[in-house]
Amino acid sequence: MGLEAYLKDNGFFTTKIDAIIAWARKSSVWPMPMGISCCAIEMMAVGDPKYDIARFGSEVMRFTPRQCDLMIVAGTVTYKMAPVVRKIYDQMPEPKWVIAMGACTSSGGMYRSYSVVQGIDQFLPVDVYLAGCPPRPDNLLHALMKIQDKIGKTKASEFPNIPLNKIDINLPELNVIQKN
Amino acid sequence: MDLKTLIPQKLKEKFPTVDFEVSDYRDELTIKFDKKYIVEVCKFLKSDSELEFSLCSDITAIDWATRKNRFTVVYNIFSMKHNFRLRLKADVDEGDCKIDSVSSVWRAANWQERETYDMYGIKFNNHPDLRRMYMPEEFEYHPLRKDFPLMGIPGSLPLPKK
């Protein structure tokens, strides 16, 4: 199933550096659990033995963005919360990916209202949109597998090598209100 | 004596000059009166030993949009002693969008009045800390007013850059 299948006869194999790095990356995606509302309950269920996100190497939910490479935005993002989500995203080291989990996160969902951002892609680059209100845990695993497919196709040279302390955190000044 | 008759009777004795409009709908007692007496009446309802409305469960408002007195501020208070709920109402006009704060009577009123201010723009005189409750402090509008659009004013809430 894994590398050992290749190793049993000769003890070594040859590969491309891009392939081995992409394989390592996609097999240990560390999620940042950005649990904002009810979707977070389903996200927790993904961690339990029944669904077991550990099968995909993603059981290490890090509660500091500096150790994560996948942000699972699970819940309704309000305008007041948006700068916080963005700030946490900006603190994650490259390369990084985002799952917009659930209807609210992807499009505002049932909250068609002045207070809710109608889709987090207005301020974040989203890789996978996940339907459901909330999505079932196996659905989130499917999204994770999509992310893994995407990571598997990447090349190491695609990603800029930016030291953590050089990351530019762009936040709007809250006292500036633009009028149309 | 039944509280539903006792409360209006005691209020009329204590405040003979105030016009109390008492209504009893679906077993809920509501008393409406002029906004300038709100603090005195609340103080009396809380401190009177026979009534003891010790809990202010909610303060909110109604926007009637086109009516002359545009807003009605609503106080839902509760007497632990009698397990009795009472609703107080006072009209506030848009031109003079102010009412006295009852946060000196019930401390719980502090945040409830802030919320009402945030959502309707009704100012509470003598409030110790009248800031917005939910919306950002720089926000200029009051979302629960009837003339506020459902999807908000475009650009009035800033988003981070992509």
Side-chain angles (χ1 to χ4, degrees):
Chain A
M1 184 181 159
L3 264 183
E4 59 272 23
Y6 296 94
L7 292 174
K8 69 179 179 211
D9 293 331
N10 304 319
F12 73 91
F13 67 97
T14 54
T15 180
K16 288 190 286 184
I17 193 82
D18 277 347
I20 191 82
I21 286 180
W23 172 82
R25 268 191 183 135
K26 78 171 198 181
S27 313
S28 63
V29 179
W30 287 14
M32 164 80 224
M34 192 72 225
I36 303 171
S37 56
C38 25
C39 278
I41 304 293
E42 300 299 301
M43 186 172 59
M44 288 174 220
V46 164
D48 74 16
K50 185 170 177 181
Y51 297 99
D52 200 8
I53 202 170
R55 293 179 292 151
F56 303 88
S58 294
E59 74 277 19
V60 218
M61 300 270 181
R62 298 278 102 171
F63 291 90
T64 162
R66 283 153 211 276
Q67 298 172 355
C68 300
D69 29 29
L70 169 68
M71 183 147 95
I72 306 174
V73 185
T76 318
V77 182
T78 58
Y79 277 92
K80 230 177 168 181
M81 192 67 186
V84 181
V85 177
R86 180 71 210 197
K87 195 171 194 173
I88 289 170
Y89 176 79
D90 284 342
Q91 289 178 58
M92 287 164 56
E94 296 272 359
K96 51 192 170 183
W97 293 270
V98 175
I99 292 179
M101 182 182 177
C104 300
T105 321
S106 306
S107 68
M110 65 173 187
Y111 297 104
R112 190 152 172 77
S113 153
Y114 62 92
S115 55
V116 175
V117 182
Q118 305 291 303
I120 59 163
D121 49 7
Q122 289 180 31
F123 65 94
L124 271 188
V126 178
D127 295 287
V128 173
Y129 298 88
L130 181 47
C133 185
R136 285 185 51 80
D138 32 13
N139 213 345
L140 179 57
L141 289 177
H142 186 227
L144 178 64
M145 287 158 74
K146 288 281 177 199
I147 290 275
Q148 288 184 328
D149 289 349
K150 189 169 183 177
I151 298 173
K153 287 174 194 152
T154 56
K155 289 185 177 142
S157 53
E158 285 173 27
F159 304 110
N161 187 15
I162 310 172
L164 255 187
N165 57 355
K166 292 276 161 39
I167 290 177
D168 184 25
I169 296 181
N170 283 322
L171 284 179
E173 292 202 12
L174 274 177
N175 52 2
V176 177
I177 292 177
Q178 303 147 354
K179 273 192 186 160
N180 290 10
Chain B
M1 191 198 273
D2 182 22
L3 273 166
K4 281 186 182 167
T5 47
L6 179 70
I7 295 169
Q9 188 187 320
K10 285 193 82 118
L11 282 174
K12 272 165 198 158
E13 274 169 30
K14 175 81 182 172
F15 306 98
T17 54
V18 185
D19 184 23
F20 290 104
E21 201 180 301
V22 182
S23 62
D24 183 3
Y25 177 68
R26 295 212 171 171
D27 209 27
E28 292 170 6
L29 187 66
T30 304
I31 300 176
K32 195 171 172 181
F33 51 92
D34 195 285
K35 67 173 181 180
K36 61 185 165 193
Y37 303 104
I38 187 74
V39 179
E40 291 167 60
V41 172
C42 286
K43 239 177 217 162
F44 172 71
L45 288 170
K46 190 190 179 188
S47 57
D48 188 88
S49 57
E50 277 185 280
L51 303 175
E52 281 190 37
F53 281 92
S54 51
L55 178 72
C56 176
S57 19
D58 190 26
I59 296 175
T60 183
I62 306 165
D63 182 0
W64 298 98
T66 51
R67 208 179 70 168
K68 188 182 162 236
N69 285 316
R70 183 172 166 182
F71 300 103
T72 301
V73 184
V74 184
Y75 301 79
N76 290 306
I77 57 176
F78 180 65
S79 169
M80 299 257 196
K81 190 177 180 182
H82 301 290
N83 186 20
F84 186 81
R85 290 183 189 278
L86 172 67
R87 187 179 300 119
L88 306 177
K89 283 185 176 180
D91 280 346
V92 175
D93 193 29
E94 199 179 2
D96 182 32
C97 214
K98 287 173 196 149
I99 189 168
D100 289 336
S101 165
V102 295
S103 54
S104 57
V105 185
W106 297 286
R107 287 183 68 194
N110 186 321
W111 278 25
Q112 291 161 359
E113 286 177 345
R114 276 178 64 187
E115 185 191 348
T116 310
Y117 162 69
D118 189 359
M119 292 291 141
Y120 293 93
I122 297 165
K123 292 209 169 69
F124 290 86
N125 300 328
N126 305 321
H127 190 284
D129 183 26
L130 195 62
R131 282 177 299 141
R132 282 177 175 277
M133 195 79 212
Y134 300 125
M135 303 305 290
E137 283 187 38
E138 295 78 14
F139 193 63
E140 292 175 19
Y141 310 94
H142 301 287
L144 284 193
R145 286 191 172 194
K146 292 288 184 205
D147 50 9
F148 186 82
L150 174 68
M151 292 307 291
I153 315 263
S156 60
L157 287 162
L159 269 183
K161 269 179 265 169
K162 192 169 178 177

